[in-house]
Amino acid sequence: MKISKNQDYEIIIEDLTQNGEGVGRIDGYALFVKDTVIGDRVIARVTKANKNYGYGRLMEIIEPSPDRVMPPCPAARACGGCTLMAMSYASQLEFKRKLIRGNLARIGGLTEIEVPPVIGMDKPYRYRNKAQFPVGSDRDGNIVIGFYAGRTHSIIPCDDCLIGDSVNAGILAEIKSHMLKYKIKPYDELSHTGLIRHVLIRVGFATGEVMVCLVINGEALPASDELVKALQNLPLPDDRKIASVMLNLNRESTNVILGTECRLLWGAPYIEDFIGKIKYRISPLSFYQVNPVQTRKLYGLALDFAELTGNETVWDLYCGIGTISLFLAQNARKVYGVEIVPQAIEDARRNAAINGITNVEFFTGRAEEILPDFYARESARAGAPMTADVIVVDPPRKGCAETLLATMVKMQPARIVYVSCDSATLARDLKYLTQNGYEVKKVQGVDMFGMTGHVETVCLLSKLHADQHIGV
């Protein structure tokens, strides 16, 4: 059957992509349809037809899946964020478990690995401690604050994202009111004119401290003192309190949200928060996990998998602001952290200092360069291969470079704890490690991003004994 653009077809949704698009088939031809749920029987209109697959728009739900629910957010379909909000939360967790298991088997060849149920959230809404709201104008010139529609830079009005903190709506309303009162123009991407580009809001869930940061295409905000007073007097829910009001200067004609320069309008240039017993200082530019409740579960698992007794030397690769490093340092002899972002390393050292943790050392640079260089230098100096007891790795979505994996293997750690935000690249890297002397012992998914297709996975690998090694 020839599939034609702009034609309607009846299909049953059989699977989902990680991006949350439903997958149905027309005589074997795969059609990807946003806003659908596994088990839906729908009418979809083809919007793009390639040779072997195409994309469609949901036109009608003929028979809803038993897993389908009514999205509580009115912007759910238009917004490009919560792609799984029409699926029950229990079904989301099962989808993510199958995603991990499927990637491990298909890409990693790990068909015998047990993948237990994903550790979900007690409250799958209001979990994000950070939100970045683009600011613009609609066709009539009215100020619009919200989120980008999927794969576009069209702003969908949304002042109260349901996976964000409940403080956001009041703060955005106050900023919009200030813009109207003082005739402050929102930024226009095409003409590179206007002042306010984004509003960044960060919340310390444990401390209640709130940071408001306006990203501006300029040097100053008109009547900034008046906005500060208004924000200070704003009634906030859940014992939240404004602790920091800042500007971030971004005059570049790019899609990058934050510039490199921040200016303090009022309060402190950071807020503080805790994950477990560890305190963190968070600036506008700091990397910090957006779901601190689930982060504690994730890092607790990583710490359990590391099986530290207090005598170990540990390397934490892609350490960010030292979040995992400081957790590990509580139970290790020495922890070395590596991160490419200089600001993150500054934050990591500061976080170690404010927690009185002295058995950590941080290096700035690419992990795939720092670790091999350090290994070669220290091995030459000692006249024997440098070793580590435990290596923890938490790479970006692209996973680890093979040069880094090779160095990890040379260092012969008893255990490798791999924390991954993409189970496909995790599976690829596990294949390399299992071919080079390591065995996967445990795999556990943790849901950090409810209503989306993303899932974190933590994996424990143990070094095989010589008589077990069948490596390449």
Side-chain angles (χ1 to χ4, degrees):
M1 174 189 287
K2 177 176 172 54
I3 305 302
S4 302
K5 185 179 178 180
N6 297 324
Q7 286 293 109
D8 291 353
Y9 297 89
E10 180 180 321
I11 58 173
I12 295 175
I13 303 301
E14 302 169 347
D15 201 356
L16 287 178
T17 68
Q18 187 171 328
N19 293 327
E21 294 173 317
V23 185
R25 297 190 181 276
I26 310 165
D27 291 341
Y29 182 91
L31 192 66
F32 298 92
V33 186
K34 184 178 173 289
D35 306 311
T36 57
V37 173
I38 296 173
D40 279 344
R41 187 158 64 93
V42 304
I43 299 293
R45 180 166 298 168
V46 175
T47 56
K48 183 176 182 180
N50 296 319
K51 182 178 180 181
N52 298 315
Y53 66 93
Y55 295 91
R57 179 184 298 114
L58 175 63
M59 304 303 294
E60 179 186 350
I61 300 172
I62 301 172
E63 184 178 343
S65 164
D67 296 327
R68 175 173 280 277
V69 297
M70 178 63 71
C73 176
R77 185 169 180 181
C79 174
C82 295
T83 54
L84 300 186
M85 192 175 271
M87 178 186 285
S88 72
Y89 188 56
S91 299
Q92 292 181 36
L93 296 179
E94 178 57 17
F95 161 70
K96 293 178 183 187
R97 185 183 74 86
K98 289 180 178 178
L99 178 69
I100 296 168
R101 186 179 63 187
N103 282 332
L104 292 182
R106 179 175 55 86
I107 301 171
L110 301 168
T111 57
E112 305 300 319
I113 299 298
E114 177 187 357
V115 180
V118 171
I119 296 173
M121 305 180 208
D122 297 331
K123 298 177 181 178
Y125 291 99
R126 302 295 188 193
Y127 64 80
R128 285 187 63 96
N129 59 15
K130 175 186 175 183
Q132 297 174 141
F133 297 89
V135 183
S137 301
D138 64 15
R139 293 179 179 178
D140 298 321
N142 300 310
I143 296 170
V144 179
I145 304 177
F147 295 104
Y148 293 126
R151 296 174 180 163
T152 77
H153 269 217
S154 298
I155 300 175
I156 303 299
C158 181
D159 60 2
D160 188 21
C161 172
L162 295 185
I163 64 172
D165 195 89
S166 55
V167 302
N168 294 339
I171 292 170
L172 294 179
E174 199 61 58
I175 291 171
K176 186 175 181 179
S177 175
H178 185 81
M179 293 176 68
L180 291 169
K181 181 177 180 180
Y182 293 98
K183 297 180 172 55
I184 301 171
K185 296 292 186 182
Y187 181 68
D188 181 274
E189 286 187 342
L190 296 179
S191 63
H192 192 49
T193 59
L195 184 65
I196 299 185
R197 302 175 67 133
H198 280 79
V199 178
L200 165 66
I201 303 174
R202 308 192 78 150
V203 182
F205 277 19
T207 62
E209 295 181 354
V210 178
M211 170 183 286
V212 180
C213 180
L214 281 72
V215 183
I216 62 171
N217 177 40
E219 293 285 338
L221 177 72
S224 59
D225 289 346
E226 295 303 313
L227 178 61
V228 167
K229 290 177 185 176
L231 291 173
Q232 287 176 307
N233 294 326
L234 190 64
L236 299 180
D238 303 324
D239 297 322
R240 303 293 196 229
K241 53 187 178 291
I242 302 292
S244 174
V245 183
M246 301 193 70
L247 297 179
N248 175 267
L249 278 50
N250 182 359
R251 294 177 293 273
E252 300 298 321
S253 183
T254 69
N255 291 334
V256 176
I257 293 175
L258 293 172
T260 57
E261 183 181 353
C262 294
R263 293 183 182 173
L264 181 66
L265 293 180
W266 178 83
Y270 56 82
I271 59 172
E272 294 184 333
D273 199 20
F274 287 84
I275 299 178
K277 297 178 181 179
I278 305 296
K279 180 192 289 186
Y280 299 91
R281 284 187 179 175
I282 308 154
S283 72
L285 300 176
S286 294
F287 171 80
Y288 186 66
Q289 291 283 4
V290 300
N291 187 336
V293 175
Q294 291 298 97
T295 296
R296 183 174 181 177
K297 296 178 185 178
L298 179 72
Y299 290 174
L301 273 173
L303 187 59
D304 289 345
F305 284 8
E307 299 177 17
L308 301 177
T309 64
N311 298 314
E312 292 84 3
T313 297
V314 182
W315 281 81
D316 177 18
L317 309 177
Y318 308 98
C319 68
I321 64 169
T323 321
I324 295 182
S325 302
L326 302 184
F327 262 65
L328 298 167
Q330 299 173 95
N331 296 76
R333 183 182 64 82
K334 180 76 173 185
V335 176
Y336 298 96
V338 182
E339 171 60 49
I340 192 173
V341 181
Q343 177 65 47
I345 288 296
E346 289 180 23
D347 288 342
R349 290 172 178 151
R350 185 179 302 112
N351 288 328
I354 65 176
N355 287 281
I357 295 174
T358 58
N359 60 330
V360 291
E361 186 175 348
F362 295 103
F363 300 91
T364 305
R366 296 163 58 91
E368 56 267 36
E369 295 174 358
I370 293 288
L371 191 66
D373 289 350
F374 195 92
Y375 172 82
R377 186 170 62 251
E378 289 301 303
S379 297
R381 184 185 64 80
M386 184 188 90
T387 61
D389 300 301
V390 177
I391 293 177
V392 177
V393 58
D394 185 5
R397 196 164 298 281
K398 66 180 181 179
C400 297
E402 190 167 311
T403 53
L404 178 62
L405 295 173
T407 304
M408 290 164 58
V409 169
K410 290 176 184 177
M411 292 171 67
Q412 300 184 38
R415 291 172 297 283
I416 296 173
V417 180
Y418 194 131
V419 181
S420 171
C421 60
D422 188 327
S423 57
T425 54
L426 168 68
R428 180 202 67 202
D429 293 348
L430 293 184
K431 184 175 183 179
Y432 180 94
L433 292 169
T434 55
Q435 290 175 341
N436 287 275
Y438 284 84
E439 177 185 13
V440 176
K441 303 294 286 187
K442 297 178 185 177
V443 173
Q444 178 64 63
V446 179
D447 187 30
M448 301 276 285
F449 309 102
M451 310 301 138
T452 81
H454 302 295
V455 60
E456 296 278 325
T457 310
V458 58
C459 178
L460 170 64
L461 299 99
S462 292
K463 189 176 186 305
L464 291 168
H465 299 299
D467 57 351
Q468 296 175 294
H469 184 18
I470 323 174
V472 293

